[in-house]
Amino acid sequence: MKTRHFSIILLLIAIFLMPSTAKASGDGEGGLNVKEVIFHHLGDGYGWEVPFSHVYRIPLPVIVRAQDGKWMCFSSSKLQKIETVTDAEGKEKTEAVPQIVSVSKDGKDYQFVLAHVSKHANKVVQIFPLNSESDKKEFNDAWEAVGASRAGQDAIVDGYVEFDGTYYKEYKPLDLSITKNVFALLIASVVVTLLVLGLARYYARHSDKTPRKGMGFIEMLVDFLYSGTIKSALGSKTKKFAPYLLTCFFFIFVMNLLGLVVIFPGGANLTGNIAVTLVLAVIAFVMINIHGSKHYWKDIFWPDVPIWLKFPLPIMQFIEIFSMFTKPAALCVRLFANMMGGHMIVITLILIIFIFAAFGAVATGASVVVSVLFTLFMLALDVLVSFIQAYVFTLLTTIFISMSTEDPHAAHHEAAEHINLDEEQTISEDSNTAVKA
């Protein structure tokens, strides 16, 4: 019975996707640009795409600083307008066409556009028309410098942006816009906060009960990380670093899961963005080194190796300092590469449907079934990878912090106290046994 239901679901998905594939295969003269589609889905944007549509987007605020230092704020919906156009086959279709945004402030007009033919592609830039003869001469000189031909395709000229067949002088403003990735980071932060506060609120109200269902799963993760990973590595320093390490795990885990969801508020490829993983690695770098013990810094600048390896040529010092940066770099690249690779595989499997659409209905139907099956398998695997990568990032950060805060003398003293306590407990047990005897 379950197999029949699964087959019906696959058939419905195939029927739903087949018209889209047939339409997509005829769009454009050059066919489907796989590279462009992949990086479009994995990249950032000034709006949040509406599910199953590349035209309509949920608008987000654009906040930029103009050339004269004044701040401008407007909706990202103004960067594009929705138009109905007719393609080469005479069919009408809806497209999002870029447009110039005009903003008036203090009696002065400012113009902005989402650049495409520019060095700052897919970024908002401020534009200035080439009105004076000197401006036109500067542009002609820049045009000749790149060796462009006016009869050829639109060329990227440094310092200029092409829009609707006309070149404008551009200025890249300071951009503090709430883009899709920024908004997704805020959503992930809110989700993590609600999960943690919800668990704390439950224990405040039911201190004698174990949470169930969702809260029980969160408590299981917290206990697994705290007792099985953090406490076993950090010992007496657990309470000092556990809040950061637990936050790190849940933040990465939630970001990974949100990236697997197609519709809003998911769909943002956060941990597949190296800027996000780099910030996480920098924070880990600060936590590792700012709490480093004297023994840690001594091993970096004067390690216990033969003297000729550290003086007069500081060979070991150079290696140790280099290793300080390779540890967080490994954290950054490992998380980025694994999550980016998972997203690219899923998107590529979906694109197989559009590629095979040109070979007829039979090939399209077969590709739909195969692609959907492998996509579902990869999504299920990505859920597991999402947990593994969050755990590995937290585990390695815990180990690095443990190594940097390690103090051999304090560890020896703590071990001696532990042995004394064990001996006292043994003597006490022997005494009790003797009394009973």
Side-chain angles (χ1 to χ4, degrees):
M1 193 67 180
K2 292 182 179 179
T3 306
R4 183 182 301 175
H5 289 167
F6 185 69
S7 302
I8 294 174
I9 292 173
L10 286 179
L11 181 61
L12 291 175
I13 294 174
I15 294 173
F16 175 75
L17 290 177
M18 281 179 63
S20 301
T21 57
K23 181 179 178 181
S25 62
D27 288 344
E29 297 177 0
L32 182 67
N33 190 332
V34 176
K35 179 181 176 181
E36 181 180 351
V37 172
I38 290 176
F39 283 98
H40 171 74
H41 282 273
L42 297 180
D44 200 0
Y46 288 93
W48 209 301
E49 291 183 355
V50 176
F52 311 111
S53 173
H54 295 291
V55 178
Y56 300 98
R57 296 193 174 195
I58 301 173
L60 296 172
V62 178
I63 307 171
V64 291
R65 186 174 182 268
Q67 190 177 36
D68 58 2
K70 294 182 180 179
W71 287 94
M72 307 292 163
C73 182
F74 54 89
S75 173
S76 63
S77 60
K78 295 183 178 180
L79 294 171
Q80 295 178 330
K81 58 182 178 180
I82 308 301
E83 290 186 352
T84 302
V85 298
T86 304
D87 58 14
E89 299 178 356
K91 298 180 180 179
E92 292 186 349
K93 60 180 180 178
T94 305
E95 286 186 352
V97 181
Q99 65 177 355
I100 296 176
V101 179
S102 297
V103 181
S104 297
K105 189 171 185 179
D106 298 333
K108 185 177 179 181
D109 293 332
Y110 300 84
Q111 291 184 318
F112 300 91
V113 71
L114 183 61
H116 290 288
V117 184
S118 166
K119 186 176 68 174
H120 306 291
N122 300 321
K123 300 293 182 182
V124 172
V125 296
Q126 185 179 2
I127 60 174
F128 306 90
L130 305 178
N131 294 326
S132 64
E133 292 298 326
S134 59
D135 290 339
K136 294 178 181 179
K137 184 178 183 304
E138 289 179 2
F139 171 70
N140 290 331
D141 294 339
W143 182 279
E144 293 176 359
V146 298
S149 172
R150 293 185 185 276
Q153 296 180 349
D154 297 329
I156 296 177
V157 182
D158 190 19
Y160 297 88
V161 58
E162 187 271 337
F163 178 78
D164 200 18
T166 304
Y167 277 89
Y168 298 85
K169 193 171 183 179
E170 71 173 358
Y171 169 74
K172 179 64 176 67
L174 178 61
D175 195 341
L176 299 180
S177 302
I178 307 298
T179 61
K180 182 175 70 172
N181 282 350
V182 174
F183 195 49
L185 283 171
L186 297 176
I187 293 174
S189 302
V190 171
V191 171
V192 172
T193 303
L194 292 177
L195 289 175
V196 174
L197 293 182
L199 185 61
R201 190 181 300 110
Y202 180 89
Y203 274 112
R205 295 178 179 177
H206 310 283
S207 58
D208 57 339
K209 294 182 179 180
T210 302
R212 304 282 183 177
K213 298 181 181 180
M215 284 300 167
F217 177 72
I218 300 300
E219 189 219 17
M220 181 191 69
L221 289 179
V222 172
D223 183 67
F224 168 72
L225 291 168
Y226 186 86
S227 302
T229 302
I230 301 174
K231 192 173 182 179
S232 61
L234 295 177
S236 60
K237 299 182 286 292
T238 299
K239 292 184 178 180
K240 183 178 182 180
F241 296 101
Y244 161 70
L245 294 170
L246 289 172
T247 302
C248 183
F249 170 81
F250 281 103
F251 188 54
I252 295 174
F253 187 41
V254 170
M255 286 193 297
N256 290 345
L257 293 181
L258 286 177
L260 300 179
V261 181
V262 178
I263 60 176
F264 180 85
N269 182 35
L270 291 176
T271 46
N273 186 326
I274 197 168
V276 176
T277 59
L278 179 61
V279 172
L280 294 173
V282 169
I283 296 174
F285 174 80
V286 173
M287 291 293 294
I288 292 168
N289 292 282
I290 200 173
H291 296 286
S293 63
K294 294 180 180 179
H295 177 75
Y296 169 75
W297 290 109
K298 183 259 180 188
D299 279 347
I300 290 178
F301 293 105
W302 198 255
D304 294 329
V305 295
I307 189 68
W308 59 272
L309 289 174
K310 54 188 177 182
F311 182 83
L313 294 177
I315 300 175
M316 289 304 301
Q317 287 91 329
F318 174 79
I319 295 175
E320 292 292 339
I321 292 174
F322 182 71
S323 69
M324 290 172 55
F325 296 94
T326 56
K327 292 174 183 176
L331 295 175
C332 169
V333 175
R334 178 184 288 104
L335 180 60
F336 160 74
N338 281 280
M339 299 313 300
M340 169 69 85
H343 284 278
M344 289 187 67
I345 291 173
V346 170
I347 295 174
T348 303
L349 289 172
I350 294 297
L351 288 177
I352 290 176
I353 302 172
F354 298 88
I355 295 172
F356 276 88
F359 296 97
V362 177
T364 303
S367 64
V368 166
V369 175
V370 174
S371 296
V372 170
L373 286 174
F374 277 100
T375 300
L376 293 175
F377 170 75
M378 283 304 304
L379 287 174
L381 185 62
D382 279 343
V383 173
L384 178 62
V385 171
S386 298
F387 170 80
I388 292 174
Q389 291 305 315
Y391 176 71
V392 168
F393 192 100
T394 307
L395 174 64
L396 292 178
T397 305
T398 304
I399 293 174
F400 295 153
I401 291 176
S402 176
M403 293 169 60
S404 68
T405 58
E406 183 182 10
D407 189 347
H409 300 290
H412 178 73
H413 181 68
E414 184 178 347
E417 289 182 351
H418 185 69
I419 292 172
N420 292 333
L421 289 174
D422 290 342
E423 290 178 351
E424 291 177 2
Q425 185 177 1
T426 303
I427 293 172
S428 177
E429 290 176 354
D430 292 342
S431 301
N432 292 334
T433 304
V435 170
K436 290 179 181 179

